Amino acid sequence: MTGDINITQAFHGINKTSIVYIAIIIAAYWLLTKLIERLFFLLEGRLSGRFRLYILPSMPLFRMFFLIVAIMIIIPLVIKPTLQNLIAVLGVAGLALGFAFKDYISCIIAGITVIYERCYRPGDWVKIGDAYGEIKSLGLRTLKLVTPDDTIVTIPHTKIWNTNIYNANEGKRELLCVADFYFHPKHDAAQVRQKLYDVALASPYINLERQIMVIVAEKPWGTHYRLKAYPIESRDQFQFISDLTVRGKTALSKMDVKAITLPIAVKDNYNQ
Amino acid sequence: MTEQDPIQLWRYIRLEEFSKPKEPTKETVRKGVLGFLKKFRRTPPQTESAISHTDLHVFPPDVLDKVVSPPDWYEQFSALNVVLEDWLKLTADQEEFSAQIIVGAPYSGTSQGVTHWATTQRWRIIEPPGIEQIFEGGKDWLSQLDTGKNMPLVIPCLERFYLRHHDGLTLIRKLLGWLWNNRCRCLIGCDSWAWAYLCKAIHIDSLFPNPFILEAFDHERLQHWFQSLSLISGKECFVFRQTDNGKFVIPPKKTLETPGNNNIQTKKPLNNSGKPASVTNFLNNVASYSRGIPWVAWAIWRYSLRQTPDGDVLKTIQEDAKTDRCCMLWVIPWSQLNLPIIPYTKNQKQPFVLHTLLLHDGLPSQVLSHVLSISDVEIIQILHHLKNDGILDVEQGIWRVTPLSYPSVRQFLNSEGYLVDVI
């Protein structure tokens, strides 16, 4: 045995039949993934929040499963499936593709890491860079996120290597919401704090199984209240914050507590 | 079968001991499959007549009141007396001396029962404040309590002392503080939904001992109760059979006397041909679906009854059961009973309306609009839409969830993640 491997001997002869089979398998994989996506989106709209967050994260797992099955069917059609052949072909292919598609492969590896480590999953509300929204789908290379303005943002998975990922709910229904209030410092803080607590209790969106907190901080320009509570459904977070804000303003206007406004330049300095 | 002491039929237990009747496995599977398929239907399925059964008629309300008479609250009051007699014997140094709580399921008449008890004991009854007084924080209203504050008192319906509104909790906090500081003896009746909300909102359960609640009605209790409600002058005049298979829903008490066998306990109910009668599990399903709440089960039982056109129900009633003849009444099978269900809607405010009505045991539409911060027009649209679906009813301006739709509404709210009661 010379030890030389003729790489071409590792391959089956590619003929028209093989090409047709491979095309059918790729088409079937594409069709199945699209069907699964449609089915999951349909279920997501119909199911209550509790079941939705069980179903959605399994979508990328199904996609991965179909891909693995497709590859396992295609490889024996192309390569004579012996260990020697597989090592030879995959080694050469890996070297060639690695240079040409290193970013793409990095995305795919990141995608597999995301599924394994569960950094985020469909249904999670995440902030990546300056994009905040709900993850609608996880592809192999990218994720699709829908912002509160109904904009779809496509983000490559490679962001997990060097960017912080802020996950607000991590697969759960509950998500902490914060409504901010700014008042003139001359008022009874204990009364305002109690009233804001009652404002949260009165909201029809409130999840009473979780704690309500009112954080008070004195600033040079006034008093900053942060009303923190959880809605029943994470998708209602903006309506919930709006409800808290409207009820809070109504309640506190009766108590003659004055809201405060700052010139924009001063507020920007304090926000930094 | 021996007669049940009515007090044993109605029994009060501690809230932590309450457990609802279990659902038959077959019904769980059927409901699960149908519930899943329902998610994909935009419109409710076409309702069939429960009986192809064109031969069967619904009872007029006045006849139905005679066949399944409205419950007699006296038996429930007797059971309440039993549990409170022990409480009255407590001395001032014992922990539960000061206050006792009776939590009642929706439609349970808890406030009537507690009021009746207060009247017999001559305790002072604290009537609920007006809506405006609740919103104002009840400063003036609370001052009336200081008069005769050493007298024992009764609060029949605590659910009327608060509103789920940022101004609606001040009065009840002050009331509870007053009760705690004055250590006066008081009996408090409260709806189960209001109790659940107040436990979360103001931690009322940390101020009072574990409440009492009526024990759940399982299928045996329901059988005895429905049988007793259908007696005329103490005699059994009706036989209840299921329309699809003819089986008894409530086994008749009549038995075959065999020579030498006078042991009542060994005799089994017989059908017309003298063979042992088989009984359906209809009442098991009713007990489970109604969550053991007798008045919900009662409403379902009335809803399921039918008669043949030549049914001589009125004659039977009019003759006052002088004869031994029994009138046959038909019961729709459980799987064919079309009870009201929550219609599919994308309107997010609909569950808010349902939840708020349950938390307050009914509200007028104007108060509901104020509590939810939804416009009057929108509230009225939602209320009438739900009324048309049989989910809500209005009486004297107060909107409430109907007993027939209560289990469906509760299940819907629970699955959506809303706070629900323990019953």
Side-chain angles (χ1 to χ4, degrees), chain A residues 187-229:
Chain A
H187 62 268
D188 186 335
Q191 276 192 3
V192 169
R193 199 171 178 211
Q194 179 65 59
K195 187 57 73 176
L196 286 176
Y197 186 87
D198 286 353
V199 159
L201 284 176
S203 174
Y205 296 92
I206 187 84
N207 180 352
L208 287 165
E209 301 295 336
R210 299 300 301 261
Q211 199 182 3
I212 300 168
M213 285 177 287
V214 182
I215 312 295
V216 188
E218 197 68 18
K219 305 281 186 192
W221 40 259
T223 312
H224 179 195
Y225 289 84
R226 308 196 76 206
L227 173 53
K228 295 185 172 184

Side-chain angles (χ1 to χ4, degrees), chain B residues 38 44 339-345 350-351 354 386 389 391 401 405-413:
Chain B
K38 193 182 77 172
L339 293 165
I341 53 171
I342 304 287
Y344 172 76
T345 178
Q350 183 173 281
L354 291 169
L386 288 170
D389 288 326
I391 306 296
V401 175
S405 65
Y406 172 78
S408 164
V409 171
R410 190 193 185 280
Q411 188 186 357
F412 167 74
L413 292 173

